[in-house]
Amino acid sequence: DLETESACDFKVIPFYSDQKGHLDFEQTRNIVDSLHDKDILICAPSKMIASLKKEFADKRIPLENIHSEEFNF
């Protein structure tokens, strides 16, 4: 299992879109209890990052808590 947690409460949660569809706010909320007090790192293609950031902002997740790293295939 790739999910890990350390003493600093850092959690890696892999999401496989070929198995579960595209990741969105609701799926994220089902994985993690509360997002309002968490730092969120999105590592994805630019369109997915933009889409998730908009959804998080619409749900009043502080934008300073959202970090991203873009990759392309």
Side-chain angles (χ1 to χ4, degrees):
D1 187 22
L2 293 176
E3 185 173 330
T4 60
E5 188 169 356
S6 70
C8 68
D9 200 28
F10 179 83
K11 190 179 280 192
V12 175
I13 303 171
F15 187 89
Y16 302 102
S17 60
D18 59 334
Q19 298 171 3
K20 299 179 181 181
H22 293 287
L23 182 64
D24 61 16
F25 176 82
E26 291 303 319
Q27 290 173 326
T28 305
R29 201 175 79 185
N30 290 335
I31 296 168
V32 179
D33 293 334
S34 173
L35 296 172
H36 289 87
D37 62 342
K38 306 272 191 292
D39 279 300
I40 301 165
L41 172 62
I42 306 166
C43 185
S46 60
K47 287 184 181 181
M48 183 177 176
I49 291 170
S51 175
L52 285 170
K53 281 185 175 182
K54 181 181 180 328
E55 283 190 79
F56 289 144
D58 290 347
K59 300 296 184 182
R60 293 183 169 55
I61 304 295
L63 289 177
E64 61 268 10
N65 291 4
I66 303 171
H67 315 278
S68 61
E69 183 168 332
E70 179 183 330
F71 69 83
N72 293 300
F73 293 104

